[in-house]
Amino acid sequence: TKTGYYLKKFMNDAYPLQNPWGNAGFQPWIYLRYAEVLLNYAEAANEAYGPDAVPNGATMSATQAINMIRKRAGAAPASVARARGGMGASPAAI
């Protein structure tokens, strides 16, 4: 962000940044959330192969990637959500 607040909220105040070359290495910078990686994979796999196909050389389908995120959040699996009219349900079924 322009203000830098986004990074500030992840910083540990016990490590001052008076000398960035000596102290910045101790900051627990968050580069990319694991859920974002899974969502990016799920979107690409779904667009290229469909929701339930496991692409060649991959270990999971788009639905399995989504379910990994949903499990971590304590939500129902995607197949249940689909049956209830969410996540990729056909508009006619809603």
Side-chain angles (χ1 to χ4, degrees), residues 15-88:
Y15 302 125
L17 290 178
Q18 295 167 344
N19 177 8
W21 297 275
N23 295 327
F26 297 113
Q27 293 295 340
W29 302 114
I30 296 175
Y31 294 109
L32 192 61
R33 294 177 326 139
Y34 182 54
E36 182 67 25
V37 172
L38 289 174
L39 285 171
N40 289 343
Y41 171 80
E43 181 180 9
N46 182 56
E47 290 295 319
Y49 304 101
D52 297 317
V54 177
N56 235 359
T59 58
M60 70 180 105
S61 68
T63 302
Q64 289 169 322
I66 294 294
N67 282 337
M68 288 178 69
I69 298 167
R70 294 178 67 85
K71 181 178 179 182
R72 289 171 56 133
S79 58
V80 174
R82 232 186 258 157
R84 293 182 182 153
M87 193 191 139

Side-chain angles (χ1 to χ4, degrees), residues 85-86 88-94:
S90 116
I94 296 177

